[in-house]
Amino acid sequence: MTTAIAGLSLTAGLLAVAGAPAGAQAGVAAAPKPPKGARAVVQVSPNPTTERGQEVTITGHCGGGKGLKGVLAGLDRKNPVLRNIRIVKDDPKGFVAKAKLDSKIGNGVGPVFVDCGGEAGVTLLVTHV
């Protein structure tokens, strides 16, 4: 998971560029390819979430990694954002995992990391509960 945390700052920077208005991107060349170790792509649906205990689906691909090995949500292992995380499909070309939003979660934004055995990825999960 160390590579996932290292990929957080890289992904946050890429999200900032991707979310900028078109005019702000006019002088920006195509986004650089992420470095080795941070090439997995992950999405969470629904996002934003709206109910405590709501089931979410984590999907993506491993960007050259060996397959989905684990999912971590939030930075506090004692109080994770997602509970009962289960990998449904670990295929590196298209993985699927399911989890439930913690019953004590509040409004906010937090990272969801994936470990793909050599490649990691991160996205942000927004909660409006």
Side-chain angles (χ1 to χ4, degrees):
M1 263 319 158
T2 303
T3 55
I5 294 171
L8 175 60
S9 60
L10 170 69
T11 302
L14 292 175
L15 289 173
V17 171
Q25 295 180 14
V28 178
K33 187 175 183 180
K36 184 138 182 64
R39 295 185 183 165
V41 174
V42 59
Q43 300 90 30
V44 178
S45 178
N47 194 3
T49 57
T50 57
E51 298 174 34
R52 291 178 178 96
Q54 181 175 15
E55 184 172 77
V56 296
T57 303
I58 301 113
T59 59
H61 66 80
C62 289
K66 295 175 173 63
L68 184 61
K69 307 295 182 198
V71 177
L72 175 67
L75 297 174
D76 181 359
R77 287 185 175 227
K78 291 181 182 179
N79 299 301
V81 173
L82 298 176
R83 299 274 183 185
N84 303 324
I85 299 169
R86 60 197 185 285
I87 297 172
V88 176
K89 180 180 173 187
D90 64 357
D91 186 344
K93 293 182 181 178
F95 61 76
V96 178
K98 301 272 187 176
K100 292 205 175 198
L101 193 61
D102 188 77
S103 62
K104 298 176 186 171
I105 198 73
N107 294 325
V109 177
V112 176
F113 302 98
V114 295
D115 174 4
C116 279
E119 298 291 341
V122 63
T123 192
L124 297 175
L125 174 63
V126 178
T127 56
H128 290 295
V129 293

